Amino acid sequence: MKYMLIMRADDEALATMVNADFDEVMGTVGRYNDEMIRAGVLVAAEGLDSAADGVVVDYSTEPPLVTDGPYGETKELFGGFYILNVASKEEAVEWAKRSPMTGAGFKTEIRRITSIDEFPQDNEWIRKERTWREATGQL
Amino acid sequence: MADPTGRDAVAAVWRIESARITGALARWTGDFALAEDLAQEALAEALVTWPRDGVPRHPAGWLLTVGRRRAIDAFRRRRALDERYAALAHQLGEGGAATGGDPAGGHATGGDVLWDPDRVDDDVLALMFVSCHPVLSREAGVALTLRVVGGLTSDEIARAFLVPTATVQARITRAKKTLQASGVPFAVPPAEERRERLGPVLNVLYLIFTEGSSASAGGAVLRLDLASEAQRLARVLSRLIPGEPEVNGLLALLELTAARFPARVGPDGDPVLLERQDRRRWDRSAIRRGRAALSRAARSGRGLGFYGLQAAIAECHAVAPSVEATDWDRIVLLYEALGSLAPSPVVDLNRAVALSMARGPTEALAVVDGLVAEGSLAHSRLLPAVRGELLTRLGRLAEARGELERAAALCGNERERAVLERKLADLDEGAG
């Protein structure tokens, strides 16, 4: 079973991160990642660049409103994600609890990753998506 | 919603921590069998306490502390006033929460920590080597590895292997007694013995995987879990012994084989043969991981071994867009290499199949007839199934029918027999 651990933090929490010692942060996050690699459960991990350099498209108006960087009203920003292959949701939760990115304002969201197999296989768009995933090596 | 205090949460912690806890306790007591008991007792206590009081902040530390306390109780009960007890009592009486002696080493300094992150890897590796020790039978090695290194319960192991729980428990108990009687030390074998001792470890992981991957009926889901547990353990091992080509070879083989699982069973539950599999259903990320492991194995420059060669064959299939576009010549060569490394009629039979794809059925039939003449695989459905296939392609349909009928009669698995019977039906259609 694959689960995505989505690391979230609000503005204040991110500010504390910026002030933290770089080597120390690298060390604690690195050890955490290493632990998951050692346990054979880590499939993928990516970090996201600063939300200030991102763009938000808001659909509440017509045409949609395009604005620069952080998520406007939303206070919690996604900082990165892990993909784990584990035996149960509880195990994913247990790994999340071990994250070093803790304290006020930090959150981890845990979501099961669905598979294309869960969609109707006779749908032509699902078939097309399969072909594309196959061709791009990401199924 | 996950209940954080529930049984499932204990199971999750256990899955993550059991190997390290048992390993640390084994190093500390110098007694593998005792450590396994202590760890199980700690787990039992967690199952009672955590749902009531909540999961502790440091679950691993909690389990270790309970295990260590139980160890002291056990030593006291035995009134074993030997050196070990004296050493332990001395060190633990002073009660540093995280300290423990090194009774096995005999030169305990008191500075040795029970939970030493630098030694965790060695502990887990030692657990793998001890669980798969050659003095144990294969079944015992499999059961012990799944329980001690994988953290599966006896119930889970029993369900996966379709045997009664009592059988699994008996196997584990007997295995621990055998290890004790043989005086197997809790340690990673010295470098010069390691390659030799690695064989059984890889073999046990391979057996676990094979058991999980051969499921086509009954409890299929759990058996796939078993296959993925073997993959996980192989990943752990390749991380613990990074330079060993056969470890990477095995990991590659498991990843590349598992990549095909999604396409191996049809909607009706019947097995789907390689040539009919929908390759779009293959797990691309598993293929990528497998190929990466295989290239690590190849980079060692020592040549591919038993698992690496099989992985290389699996890779040929994984990268081919279709059966026709598969590099069958390379597969023939790889089977030849495999056959000279580990001669077996099954390898020869597979080579014959690859030959028939690369150079046509005539040459392949000669190999198969050779096997028949030797009397190899006399009771296996595989030989007549392949021979029937080759004869069909050569247009010798009457002979082909006889072979396929024989294969169906020898086939114990209903699903597979259905596939053979369909081939027979196709034959009739083709003839008529």
Side-chain angles (χ1 to χ4, degrees):
Chain A
M1 261 179 276
K2 281 185 191 159
Y3 280 87
M4 182 182 255
L5 269 52
I6 304 161
M7 319 311 274
R8 306 197 306 184
D10 63 21
D11 295 346
E12 294 87 73
L14 282 178
T16 63
M17 281 267 300
V18 171
N19 297 327
D21 180 70
F22 178 77
D23 289 337
E24 205 181 303
V25 173
M26 288 305 284
T28 50
V29 174
R31 270 190 293 278
Y32 177 57
N33 296 352
D34 201 47
E35 213 184 324
M36 294 191 286
I37 295 169
R38 280 178 214 232
V41 297
L42 186 63
V43 177
E46 299 291 350
L48 301 181
D49 195 6
S50 163
D53 295 325
V55 176
V56 174
V57 179
D58 184 334
Y59 307 100
S60 47
T61 58
E62 173 62 41
L65 184 66
V66 180
T67 48
D68 282 343
Y71 291 62
E73 299 290 308
T74 312
K75 277 278 183 265
E76 285 165 359
L77 304 170
F78 295 171
F81 65 85
Y82 292 95
I83 292 175
L84 305 186
N85 202 334
V86 291
S88 64
K89 184 197 267 186
E90 289 75 16
E91 193 183 334
V93 172
E94 197 46 48
W95 280 112
K97 281 160 73 179
R98 288 154 196 242
S99 166
M101 311 294 284
T102 56
F106 285 104
K107 278 182 188 166
T108 294
E109 182 176 335
I110 298 165
R111 305 278 295 272
R112 187 175 69 84
I113 296 176
T114 59
S115 140
I116 193 168
D117 292 334
E118 295 170 40
F119 292 88
Q121 298 304 301
D122 51 1
N123 180 294
E124 67 164 306
W125 296 106
I126 294 295
R127 281 205 297 272
K128 280 184 182 170
E129 184 185 325
R130 241 186 216 295
T131 312
W132 168 73
R133 283 183 186 272
E134 209 257 348
T136 51
Q138 54 175 323
L139 191 72
Chain B
M1 183 54 216
D3 171 10
T5 59
R7 221 188 136 83
D8 289 342
V10 179
V13 170
W14 184 249
R15 219 178 107 81
I16 297 170
E17 301 294 357
S18 61
R20 306 194 297 174
I21 288 164
T22 313
L25 287 169
R27 171 163 46 79
W28 184 62
T29 60
D31 185 338
F32 172 88
L34 175 65
E36 214 271 325
D37 288 342
L38 296 170
Q40 290 291 323
E41 283 178 34
L43 172 66
E45 198 164 321
L47 281 168
V48 174
T49 319
W50 295 5
R52 190 186 65 210
D53 304 342
V55 178
R57 209 175 140 68
H58 298 293
W62 189 98
L63 288 162
L64 258 185
T65 306
V66 171
R68 200 187 46 189
R69 208 183 296 137
R70 294 290 175 100
I72 298 164
D73 290 348
F75 287 137
R76 286 207 176 116
R77 266 201 310 279
R78 289 182 199 172
R79 297 185 186 284
L81 294 170
D82 54 14
E83 278 175 49
R84 170 184 292 166
Y85 172 59
L88 282 175
H90 175 70
Q91 303 214 340
L92 298 162
E94 322 274 312
T99 61
D102 182 8
H107 47 74
T109 60
D112 283 357
V113 282
L114 182 55
W115 190 261
D116 180 349
D118 291 336
R119 298 186 69 164
V120 162
D121 281 354
D122 278 353
D123 288 346
V124 174
L125 196 53
L127 275 189
M128 283 201 174
F129 275 109
V130 176
S131 306
C132 303
H133 198 278
V135 297
L136 300 175
S137 71
R138 285 177 174 198
E139 292 91 355
V142 164
L144 209 55
T145 302
L146 283 173
R147 166 118 141 217
V148 177
V149 192
L152 268 63
T153 63
S154 299
D155 277 341
E156 287 170 327
I157 300 168
R159 243 181 299 148
F161 287 91
L162 307 175
V163 296
T165 302
T167 306
V168 171
Q169 283 167 339
R171 271 178 199 166
I172 289 171
T173 308
R174 213 163 38 232
K176 288 194 290 184
K177 279 189 185 144
T178 306
L179 288 172
Q180 223 159 14
S182 316
V184 172
F186 178 78
V188 177
E192 63 273 18
E193 283 174 34
R194 197 182 281 186
R195 286 193 74 186
E196 193 182 313
R197 287 277 309 278
L198 199 55
V201 176
L202 298 176
N203 186 241
V204 162
L205 295 186
Y206 184 61
L207 286 175
I208 294 172
F209 182 83
T210 313
E211 180 62 32
S213 67
S214 62
S216 52
V221 176
L222 202 95
R223 290 178 146 215
L224 277 186
D225 278 359
L226 203 57
S228 74
E229 182 59 21
Q231 270 171 278
R232 183 179 77 84
L233 294 178
R235 273 184 221 134
V236 172
L237 192 63
S238 86
R239 157 89 200 203
L240 296 178
I241 316 182
E244 200 56 57
E246 268 302 71
V247 176
N248 283 313
L250 178 71
L251 177 60
L253 175 61
L254 302 197
E255 298 275 19
L256 288 164
T257 308
R260 286 191 232 150
F261 285 172
R264 259 189 17 172
V265 180
D268 48 3
D270 281 350
V272 181
L273 298 173
L274 178 67
E275 64 256 34
R276 298 228 174 121
Q277 285 178 11
D278 178 356
R279 288 169 190 243
R280 291 172 304 178
R281 297 180 69 93
W282 289 357
D283 179 344
R284 296 285 139 186
S285 62
I287 291 175
R288 267 202 308 272
R289 289 195 300 274
R291 298 189 74 192
L294 186 57
S295 74
R296 283 200 300 277
R299 238 178 286 144
S300 79
R302 277 194 259 155
L304 294 174
F306 181 65
Y307 302 110
L309 284 169
Q310 293 182 72
I313 293 165
E315 185 189 41
C316 288
H317 293 301
V319 299
S322 67
V323 173
E324 297 73 33
T326 305
D327 189 348
W328 289 106
D329 286 317
R330 180 169 156 76
I331 294 180
V332 171
L333 287 175
L334 288 165
Y335 272 122
E336 273 168 15
L338 192 60
S340 59
L341 191 75
S344 124
V346 174
V347 171
D348 288 338
L349 190 63
N350 283 325
R351 180 166 56 90
V353 173
L355 257 179
S356 80
M357 300 303 291
R359 285 172 240 161
T362 312
E363 221 174 307
L365 189 63
V367 175
V368 173
D369 287 344
L371 287 170
V372 175
E374 281 170 20
S376 305
L377 299 170
H379 301 289
S380 164
R381 70 197 185 282
L382 294 172
L383 194 54
V386 171
R387 197 156 187 274
E389 188 74 33
L390 295 173
L391 290 167
T392 307
R393 285 179 58 192
L394 286 165
R396 291 158 63 177
L397 301 184
E399 290 167 88
R401 180 171 299 112
E403 292 289 358
L404 290 175
E405 277 165 1
R406 191 169 325 150
L410 285 167
C411 185
N413 182 307
E414 267 176 53
R415 300 275 190 190
E416 277 182 37
R417 192 159 50 232
V419 172
L420 287 166
E421 274 157 9
R422 209 171 310 136
K423 276 191 183 174
L424 274 166
D426 289 349
L427 208 58
D428 292 335
E429 250 171 60

